[in-house]
Amino acid sequence: MGLLDSLAKQVLKRATITCVAPIAQHTYHLTFQGPDLADVQYTPGQTLNVFFDLSGPEAALRKRTYSIWQYNAEALTLELAVCTFSNGPGARWAQQCRPGDDVYFHGPGGKFILDTPTAFSYCLLGDVSALSHLYALRRQLPQAQSVFSLVHARTEADCFPDLDGTYPLHFAIADQLPATEVLAEVAAQGLSSATSCLFYIGGAQTLCVETRQLLRKQWQVSANHLKAKPFWK
Ligand SMILES: Cc1cc2nc3c(=O)[nH]c(=O)nc-3n(C[C@H](O)[C@H](O)[C@H](O)COP(=O)(O)OP(=O)(O)OC[C@H]3O[C@@H](n4cnc5c(N)ncnc54)[C@H](O)[C@@H]3O)c2cc1C
């Protein structure tokens, strides 16, 4: 083990992977548990930096950011939904990790969280890589709250429900999803007054950038009513 890996193990928090379950064609549901998950300061919408390959043959310290799908302070568990579309190191880690494995992490952190719990309406937009994040945000809002949504998935087999088995967000199944279609779809859901709505956009960088531009220029949404967080380029 390299010096960097050994140092990382000393400064990072550690948990044990207790469950690894494929929940969609390209997504694994991972559950961590352990005493380092006690007294974690967590706000729904925050993320975790996960470090892996610490003892791997390449001895390369790798870090990827994942949204916390759910944190349970009593059970000392934390859940993630990790996608494999990328086929990169993070995807391979999710495919290969097994119950009993150690996982090293830092966090929670991040600011892609709900700012105002009292807006007139909310609009949650993204793709499958941001789905668990959007579910965590949706759970913060009352059931009766006016919430518009659209999650881009290439196939139905890529869609998965929230942890309670429900599907509280709308999906668009398509190869490509231009920003114009995203906004046409939420308009069709009944979003008429964009100026009194808070928008949260996560996922592909192009989706975040283009949707944000359209909302600012065509829908006159002010910058402080809009949060866009690219999850991948
Ligand atoms: C705030 C934040 C929260 C995130 N939350 C999650 C989460 O909850 N779940 C999750 O799976 N990922 C999440 N991500 C993305 C995650 O951090 C990794 O970037 C992603 O998993 C790819 O890592 P990798 O090592 O597998 O591939 P990389 O080596 O990083 O990328 C390999 C290639 O795959 C492409 N790629 C990456 N993601 C996708 C994708 N979704 N679809 C198609 N191509 C892609 C890249 O552009 C690159 O060309 C989040 C990112 C951020 C910034």
Side-chain angles (χ1 to χ4, degrees):
M1 190 193 310
L3 181 62
L4 184 61
D5 297 340
S6 156
L7 253 173
K9 284 189 173 179
Q10 289 175 42
V11 296
L12 296 172
K13 293 178 186 161
R14 182 171 64 88
T16 303
I17 295 175
T18 56
C19 192
V20 183
I23 50 167
Q25 195 170 350
H26 293 96
T27 309
Y28 285 83
H29 176 189
L30 307 187
T31 307
F32 306 168
Q33 188 173 39
D36 284 1
L37 289 168
D39 302 322
V40 164
Q41 298 301 308
Y42 164 67
T43 303
Q46 284 190 312
T47 56
L48 208 66
N49 286 328
V50 176
F51 295 77
F52 46 89
D53 279 353
L54 287 173
S55 312
E58 295 170 27
L61 182 66
R62 307 211 193 248
K63 183 200 82 164
R64 291 292 182 272
T65 303
Y66 294 110
S67 307
I68 298 173
W69 196 1
Q70 180 159 272
Y71 167 61
N72 185 326
E74 284 171 17
L76 301 185
T77 57
L78 191 146
E79 296 170 69
L80 310 177
V82 179
C83 297
T84 59
F85 300 104
S86 52
N87 207 21
R92 288 194 292 277
W93 166 73
Q95 281 166 325
Q96 290 164 8
C97 67
R98 295 288 174 263
D101 287 356
D102 282 340
V103 58
Y104 290 86
F105 62 92
H106 182 261
K111 295 179 182 160
F112 192 44
I113 56 177
L114 290 180
D115 286 324
T116 317
T118 53
F120 182 73
S121 63
Y122 293 80
C123 187
L124 307 178
L125 305 172
D127 62 25
V128 172
S129 70
L131 183 54
S132 61
H133 200 119
L134 299 178
Y135 281 147
L137 297 184
R138 178 65 186 91
R139 263 184 268 127
Q140 289 310 103
L141 298 167
Q143 219 36 43
Q145 175 73 53
S146 183
V147 178
F148 304 93
S149 62
L150 202 66
V151 177
H152 175 220
R154 290 215 170 79
T155 70
E156 283 199 21
D158 284 322
C159 305
F160 58 90
D162 198 359
L163 290 159
D164 62 359
T166 62
Y167 287 89
L169 305 178
H170 294 268
F171 288 93
I173 311 293
D175 277 345
Q176 305 285 332
L177 192 65
T180 46
E181 282 181 32
V182 174
L183 297 190
E185 179 61 34
V186 290
Q189 288 173 23
L191 176 54
S192 51
S193 174
T195 48
S196 55
C197 182
L198 291 185
F199 290 84
Y200 295 84
I201 315 164
Q205 187 176 42
T206 45
L207 181 83
C208 291
V209 171
E210 289 170 14
T211 310
R212 187 179 193 285
Q213 279 174 354
L214 269 189
L215 285 168
R216 296 278 290 125
K217 285 187 185 154
Q218 287 186 13
W219 289 36
Q220 274 81 49
V221 175
S222 67
N224 59 1
H225 278 203
L226 213 166
K227 270 191 178 179
K229 178 70 190 172
F231 280 27
W232 59 280
K233 292 179 189 165

